DNA sequence: GATTGATTAGTCAAATTTGACCAACGTGCA
DNA sequence: TGCACGTTGGTCAAATTTGACTAATCAATC
């Protein structure tokens, strides 16, 4: 039971309590959390309810503005405070691998034709360059004083990871150009002179 | 409906058809997929069933060895073959961000005491060094001829990503040592001379 | 003063993921 | 022979995630 979502929602409640779900959602949006966590609306509201069930969080009350849906406000319990500390430390000390949408694709790269694989990788290289650039520009444009520093740290890390993937992809393209590996449009390992 | 799990299971069925769920599971284990995809048993069997429902895959038959549970074998349909191509290309061309367990922790780093944050980051630095080293050793030890090359590519990429995180973490530690940011054990932004 | 579009606040069915659990079989070893 | 331990093959309830959808309010714009 570690759940990054739990940590995230619990942490936001901890800072802004009392808060309701939509506040959490808005805050996480300003953290750019869509790109590194599960923060679809259902995930957030579910996290709040399940943490309430588990006594980490409690309902402060509900209010209503005009004819809009009721808002339920939450705050941490003492138990929630303890659990928050535990989750932060756990997340920091555990170097957990994360799911990665590229790996599955890479597993099947050789089902493409060689030329298409090269094209896909080159497209990716361009995209990664753009990604790193975008992160830099976005860092310059951060303004929310509450989250500026942390978000900048994360964008920086993301940019560096993208930058690390770049030479990897470039070297792979070079190998493919040199005839390494066997692709869908080929029968036997390609000889440099063949075809 | 992109699902890396679907792509992964569909792709394995495509290679080894006819196959049953356990075969898929074993193959994905040899790909080290636990570290970059959702391959818990339930995920795999569920993917097979849902793809059968959607007509991407069809049951070849069932057999039973001794008194063990029945095995259901699957193979691709024409529709599944088309969908496989679509999924591979989609996964390659889309540069999707992935969920990352470090980011949520990083969001709350300032809830630790400064010394603890530094210790956590240093632990992480060591872990990343180990990670990169482990990947290198594991590459040398790969033997399954069916998956050797792809797995080596992936381990290499993972090692490089880890290596990219290293200078990021080191620079952050340096900044924390220099008194940047404000932590739980501090009231105001730390002045170099304070404390 | 009406229309258009963004923001607020949240719900819910469907899909996916988790991982503990079950039961049979093989293998080595004392 | 007996028994501990790993492998085979899969199930299932519970938890989580998705994202389309509802429905009201607010701010501009024509």
């Amino acid at each position: 039971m570690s759940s990054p979502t739990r940590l995230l929602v619990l942490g936001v409640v901890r800072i802004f309590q009392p808060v309701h779900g939509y506040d959490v959602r808005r805050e996480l949006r300003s953290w750019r959390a869509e790109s590194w966590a599960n923060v679809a609306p259902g995930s957030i509201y579910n996290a709040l309810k399940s943490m309430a069930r588990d006594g980490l969080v409690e309902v402060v009350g509900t209010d209503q503005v005009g004819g809009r849906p009721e808002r339920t406000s939450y705050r941490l319990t003492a138990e929630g405070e303890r659990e928050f500390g535990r989750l932060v430390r756990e997340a920091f000390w555990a170097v957990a691998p994360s799911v990665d949408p590229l790996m599955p694709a890479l597993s099947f790269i050789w089902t493409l034709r060689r030329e298409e694989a090269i094209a896909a990788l080159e497209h990716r290289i361009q995209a990664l360059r753009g990604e790193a650039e975008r992160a830099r520009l976005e860092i310059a444009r951060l303004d929310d004083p509450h989250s500026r520093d942390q978000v900048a740290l994360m964008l920086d890390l993301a940019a560096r990871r993208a930058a690390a993937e770049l030479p990897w992809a470039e070297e792979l393209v070079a190998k493919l150009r040199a005839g390494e590996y066997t692709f869908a449009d080929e029968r036997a390992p390609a000889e440099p002179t063949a075809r």
Side-chain angles (χ1 to χ4, degrees), chain A:
Chain A
M1 242 146 295
S2 79
S3 178
T5 306
R6 242 179 196 217
L7 171 55
L8 218 43
V9 173
L10 192 57
V12 171
V13 172
R14 184 173 177 276
I15 299 174
F16 297 98
Q17 56 187 324
V19 270
H20 50 261
Y22 195 71
D23 279 341
V24 174
R25 225 168 127 188
R26 274 220 323 291
E27 186 62 21
L28 289 177
R29 197 147 49 212
S30 87
W31 293 8
R32 273 52 172 189
E34 323 80 53
S35 55
W36 43 265
N38 301 120
V39 289
S43 293
I44 292 173
Y45 291 104
N46 175 69
L48 285 171
K49 275 175 192 158
S50 89
M51 292 195 301
R53 172 178 36 77
D54 296 349
L56 305 182
V57 126
E58 65 192 4
V59 173
V60 174
T62 60
D63 63 338
Q64 193 164 15
V65 178
R68 280 186 238 165
E70 255 192 355
R71 296 184 302 191
T72 304
S73 289
Y74 296 89
R75 74 172 157 222
L76 284 215
T77 61
E79 175 66 17
E81 182 65 36
R82 266 195 303 281
E83 178 69 359
F84 173 77
R86 214 186 55 67
L87 287 174
V88 173
R89 285 170 179 80
E90 178 181 308
F92 250 111
W93 289 84
V95 183
S98 66
V99 318
D100 179 339
L102 176 57
M103 298 299 196
L106 196 56
S107 307
F108 303 115
I109 186 171
W110 46 273
T111 66
L112 303 176
R113 283 169 294 109
R114 185 178 294 269
E115 283 312 316
E116 190 177 2
I118 290 171
L121 284 169
E122 282 180 335
H123 170 263
R124 200 173 179 82
I125 287 168
Q126 290 310 319
L128 288 168
R129 291 215 176 95
E131 194 67 13
E133 182 60 21
R134 196 185 56 66
R136 264 188 293 280
L137 291 176
E138 206 170 350
I139 287 174
R141 201 170 300 148
L142 291 174
D143 54 346
D144 180 359
H146 217 57
S147 59
R148 215 206 93 85
D149 288 343
Q150 292 91 279
V151 175
L153 280 179
M154 293 186 238
L155 287 172
D156 182 28
L157 176 56
R160 292 188 195 224
R161 281 178 178 160
E165 202 174 313
L166 221 50
W168 173 87
E170 281 161 353
E171 286 169 33
L172 182 52
V173 166
K175 280 199 237 168
L176 298 193
R177 283 237 162 81
E180 282 195 49
Y181 307 110
T182 305
F183 285 80
D185 53 344
E186 298 155 353
R187 281 295 142 94
E191 301 296 323
T193 52
R195 306 191 59 84

